[in-house]
Amino acid sequence: MADTFIEKATAQHVDADEHASEDVNLNSNVEAKIKNPLAGISHGLLMSQVEDFANEQNMVDKMDLLKKGALVAQNPTEFESIEGLTQDERTALTREVTHKWSQPTALYFTVILCSIGACVQGWDQTGSNGANLSFPVAFGISDAKYLDDAETIPNPDYEKNLWLVGVINAAPYIASAFLGCWLSDPLNNYFGRRGTIFFSAVFCLLPVIGSGLAQTWQELFITRLLLGIGMGSKASTVPIYAAENVPALIRGGLVMSWQMWTAFGIFLGFCANLAVYNVGDIAWRLQLGSAFIPAVPLVVGIYFCPESPRWLMKKGRYAEAFKSLCRLRNTELQAARDLYYVHAQLLVEADIIGTSNYVTRFIELFTIPRVRRATLASFVVMLAQQMCGINIMAFYSSTIFKEAGATPLTALLASFGFGLVNFVFAFPALWTIDTFGRRNLLLFTFPQMAWTLLAGGFCFYIPENSSAHLGMIAFFVFLFAAFYSPGEGPVPFTYSAEVFPLTHREVGMAWAVATCLGWAAVLSITFPRMLAVMTPTGAFGFYAALNVTALVMIFLWVPETKQRTLEELDYVFAVPTRKHMSYQVSKAMPYFIKRYVFWNKSATLEPLYHFDSHIAGDSLPAHDAVRGESKVSEDEK
């Protein structure tokens, strides 16, 4: 089905000079303005446009509601002065700011149910984590250096098996990066968000059961490749689906439930590893196969969720989009407001992007300046999730603790503690991600992850016969997880789901998730060898250095997105990259040094982004924003 809103954009879109005082170039927004696309339109012209819209979309019966919604969308901070609103409608508009977490049950059901899909990913990681201690032996591919430690019998296949175990563990991430993620665009195009999630849930259910029944390492490898198809398409779709359904003021808190449920899946996986530890030779089968459990409610429950309103609008099905929004908002007025506001911004997007096929859309990730900046930022936050080192713990914590001298049971118990910390410390991000902000969370937590990894690595030098040896290593690993969970844990998938325009959202998210899972595969394959060659101390130090590198990349290339609608982010990512970098180096960094190093309380920071008076919500804090007078050419993106 064609993207009909783009095809009709030219006919529907009124020349900007007729209704707006000032235009913003969405490919080179050198003045860093965040603009409401309805601002400046006269009352008469706006009402005429709404009438045309209602007639074209067969929504004449909602004409009055759409008109009121358009007026609220045009000037959301001044709704009290709009004639025709009932007292209940005014109260609802006030409460969405003063009681922002008071949302319909259908909205919470949708976000929670779909994020359960993340449990599969987390549970599978920890299932293989525990199974690493036994499945290589069961299949005759032991990665132990000695076949019999007591008699010191060398393992002749040691080197080969190190790589083989890593490849088997990496199989889901290889399949996700090269196939599963890229299937999400055509699947979303033909079957919608719900259909894609159902497809991925099936592939996260059956292959997991198959992995527990595998009779050879080749069969295990194939079932885990099939699992990757589901993981990739699911991870590329669920955060988008959640981001498109929730209001901007709480989007981060609800979309980040993806990470919270991933952490919960990791925790449950460690619980399952311990529960089946003493069942004998089938322990690893149960550890791998138990990850099917969270996929069952996902397969069934997705049927009861509404389709994404923005996806329906992309297909020109506005009446259905309105019904979906009515389930996801507290009042019909709020649904009508969001419907018309999104429609207005989609017309602006169409002017600068247009329509294209799948291959062209992928190429445009790197050629259209506004989209390219989103591609860069999403690439950085996703790559940083692997650079920080969290998955060396999620994949190999049991192996690491065993290297620290722990018994298999003690290693599983220590891994359980890691999973518990990872889950518990994800909860603060429900609030901080939309108040403290995505960017600030990353800038604060990455230095903490660097020094905790470094400290944990040096603790391997404590004599192994000391009671402090294992305890201090576990302590710093747990502390590392505590800093990761509210920062780099929830931000990447939340951030990547919101930064792309609707026209490129599926392929953009596929790129971001493929980056994340592709590098997860590299990490999984290389870490056993790295551990053997560099020792745990060297491996921990290596990832500590990568944390510092990721911090610099985030500082320069990742803009803030909190509390902005998905459409308003078009203006944020229209700011040239060079301008953003210049601001961070020349203004934000000196301000930070003056304020927090020399404790100069009078230090001030000139903002970057500045908003017109017709944008809802509070302005971003000064340290998030940008304002500038220098002109930057489009080549300086």
Side-chain angles (χ1 to χ4, degrees), residues 226-400:
L226 292 174
L227 170 62
I229 295 175
M231 286 175 58
S233 57
K234 168 174 56 65
S236 301
T237 303
V238 170
I240 288 176
Y241 181 54
E244 291 180 342
N245 283 349
V246 302
L249 287 176
I250 58 172
R251 186 177 65 244
L254 290 185
V255 177
M256 70 76 53
S257 63
W258 165 269
Q259 170 59 25
M260 188 175 71
W261 284 101
T262 299
F264 187 56
I266 290 173
F267 170 67
L268 290 180
F270 284 127
C271 291
N273 288 344
L274 282 169
V276 301
Y277 170 72
N278 282 323
V279 300
D281 293 340
I282 65 169
W284 68 268
R285 296 185 182 277
L286 297 177
Q287 289 167 338
L288 289 174
S290 61
F292 86 92
I293 295 173
V296 174
L298 184 63
V299 169
V300 176
I302 191 62
Y303 174 79
F304 301 98
C305 296
E307 183 54 271
S308 162
R310 284 175 170 86
W311 182 84
L312 291 168
M313 294 171 70
K314 180 180 179 180
K315 297 298 181 181
R317 295 155 59 178
Y318 279 81
E320 294 176 59
F322 178 73
K323 291 179 182 178
S324 182
L325 277 168
C326 286
R327 293 182 61 188
L328 299 167
R329 300 293 183 267
N330 287 311
T331 66
E332 285 193 335
L333 174 64
Q334 290 165 308
R337 174 202 61 192
D338 291 354
L339 183 81
Y340 196 76
Y341 184 85
V342 173
H343 167 73
Q345 187 59 40
L346 293 181
L347 297 182
V348 176
E349 282 186 9
D351 280 351
I352 64 151
I353 295 176
T355 186
S356 56
N357 58 40
Y358 186 13
V359 175
T360 305
R361 285 200 304 278
F362 175 77
I363 295 173
E364 288 172 347
L365 291 178
F366 310 96
T367 57
I368 295 178
R370 180 265 179 262
V371 184
R372 182 172 62 248
R373 296 176 196 116
T375 301
L376 174 63
S378 64
F379 172 81
V380 169
V381 296
M382 284 296 198
L383 180 62
Q385 189 170 78
Q386 304 309 319
M387 294 173 71
C388 77
I390 187 62
N391 280 333
I392 67 174
M393 307 301 177
F395 296 166
Y396 293 108
S397 64
S398 297
T399 304
I400 290 170

Side-chain angles (χ1 to χ4, degrees), residues 54 58-65:
N58 296 317
M59 297 181 66
V60 178
D61 58 322
K62 303 294 182 183
M63 181 82 75
D64 291 340
L65 194 62

Side-chain angles (χ1 to χ4, degrees), residues 566-582:
L566 297 182
E567 289 67 42
E568 288 166 5
L569 291 180
D570 282 331
Y571 299 95
V572 171
F573 286 94
V575 176
T577 302
R578 186 170 296 183
K579 181 179 180 64
H580 181 270
M581 293 171 60
S582 174

Side-chain angles (χ1 to χ4, degrees), residues 467-512:
S467 59
H469 177 78
L470 181 59
M472 291 303 295
I473 292 171
F475 171 75
F476 282 112
V477 168
F478 294 170
L479 198 58
F480 166 80
F483 284 120
Y484 165 82
S485 291
E488 182 60 15
V491 168
F493 282 86
T494 302
Y495 192 89
S496 300
E498 55 192 17
V499 297
F500 293 97
L502 182 59
T503 49
H504 292 67
R505 193 161 292 154
E506 295 93 339
V507 70
M509 190 63 178
W511 154 262

Side-chain angles (χ1 to χ4, degrees), residues 19-35:
H19 59 70
S21 58
E22 195 172 3
D23 245 352
V24 173
N25 184 339
L26 290 192
N27 273 326
S28 186
N29 183 12
V30 296
E31 308 237 347
K33 293 181 178 177
I34 312 297
K35 182 174 172 55

Side-chain angles (χ1 to χ4, degrees), residues 392 396 400 522-532 539-540 543:
I392 67 174
Y396 293 108
I400 290 170
V522 173
L523 182 151
S524 182
I525 292 170
T526 59
F527 190 70
R529 179 63 178 163
M530 180 183 294
L531 203 61
F540 275 41
Y543 278 99

